[in-house]
């Protein structure tokens, strides 16, 4: 309930929370700010280093295996693992908690929507994440933050386009 996945109604029961288009827009707007801050903080720490990139790439490999198998749970687990890896590299417990509260329900929503619709191009999402990692490895803090905002907006549009087709 705290994460927004379940809504409790007294004397009626517990129900899976439904996200509206406005909810999705709101979450992505907040995520763009929080993930951009995480990227700024990790770059200030000289991250990602070679080992960090290896771990993040392993998450992307998991996403890709899930995408190729049509295993949305595996894909989503790899996706969340990748993002959590970025958040952890920022080394801020407060930021991590804030992102978890905002983002985890949205990841669950995407999983549910993906299961309902094959319209979301999962391999394209994986490639977009791989490009994001390359940017994080090679570009300046300012460029990484700008790319993070752009990629978050791209993901928002992909989710909403897939949703429109269901």
């Amino acid at each position: 309930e705290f994460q927004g996945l379940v809504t409790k109604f007294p004397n009626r029961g517990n129900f899976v929370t439904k996200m509206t288009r406005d909810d999705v827009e709101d979450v992505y707007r907040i995520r763009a700010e929080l993930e951009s801050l995480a990227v700024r903080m990790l770059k200030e720490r000289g991250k990602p280093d070679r080992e960090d990139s290896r771990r993040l790439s392993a998450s992307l490999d998991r996403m890709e295996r899930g995408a190729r198998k049509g295993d949305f749970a595996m894909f989503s687990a790899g996706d969340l693992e990748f993002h959590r890896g970025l958040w952890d590299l920022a080394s801020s417990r407060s930021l991590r908690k804030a992102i978890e509260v905002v983002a985890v329900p949205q990841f669950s929503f995407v999983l549910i929507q993906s299961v309902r619709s094959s319209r979301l191009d999962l391999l394209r999402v994986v490639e977009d994440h791989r490009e994001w990692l390359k940017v994080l490895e090679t570009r300046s803090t300012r460029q990484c933050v700008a790319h993070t905002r752009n990629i978050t907006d791209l993901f928002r549009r992909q989710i909403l386009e897939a949703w429109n087709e269901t």
Side-chain angles (χ1 to χ4, degrees):
E1 182 180 27
F2 175 74
Q3 290 181 327
L5 300 173
V6 174
T7 303
K8 290 185 177 188
F9 292 101
N11 302 319
R12 288 184 42 215
N14 302 324
F15 300 89
V16 175
T17 302
K18 294 181 180 174
M19 290 187 82
T20 65
R21 288 183 66 80
D22 288 342
D23 293 333
V24 172
E25 293 281 358
D26 188 46
V27 166
Y28 270 99
R29 187 172 182 193
I30 293 167
R31 269 192 64 196
E33 295 299 321
L34 294 175
E35 285 200 306
S36 294
L37 177 58
V39 164
R40 178 176 289 113
M41 292 171 77
L42 73 87
K43 289 298 286 184
E44 288 170 354
R45 296 184 63 242
K47 301 288 185 172
D49 61 24
R50 200 175 290 234
E51 181 59 24
D52 301 327
S53 292
R54 187 196 62 72
R55 280 192 304 273
L56 293 168
S57 288
S59 299
L60 297 178
D61 292 344
R62 185 176 183 187
M63 281 177 71
E64 185 172 348
R65 282 192 309 276
R68 291 194 184 284
K69 291 180 178 181
D71 183 336
F72 298 113
M74 180 188 289
F75 171 86
S76 285
D79 190 13
L80 184 55
E81 184 179 272
F82 174 84
H83 287 270
R84 282 180 168 155
L86 291 181
W87 307 338
D88 286 344
L89 292 175
S91 291
S92 171
R93 286 187 301 218
S94 298
L95 179 60
R96 170 68 188 255
K97 286 179 188 177
I99 295 175
E100 285 280 340
V101 168
V102 171
V104 171
Q106 181 262 319
F107 276 93
S108 299
F109 171 77
V110 169
L111 175 61
I112 292 165
Q113 285 299 111
S114 296
V115 169
R116 290 184 188 161
S117 168
S118 61
R119 307 266 194 291
L120 187 60
D121 185 347
L122 300 182
L123 288 173
R124 176 180 168 201
V125 173
V126 172
E127 288 309 310
D128 292 336
H129 277 74
R130 288 194 192 282
E131 177 62 28
W132 187 11
L133 179 56
K134 285 180 190 171
V135 168
L136 294 173
E137 292 168 336
T138 61
R139 303 277 175 82
S140 71
T141 300
R142 183 184 57 74
Q143 290 169 316
C144 290
V145 168
H147 188 80
T148 298
R149 289 183 186 283
N150 291 338
I151 200 79
T152 303
D153 186 57
L154 174 65
F155 296 150
R156 178 192 59 79
R157 285 182 281 132
Q158 288 172 345
I159 294 303
L160 292 175
E161 285 172 15
W163 189 0
N164 286 341
E165 296 173 4
T166 58

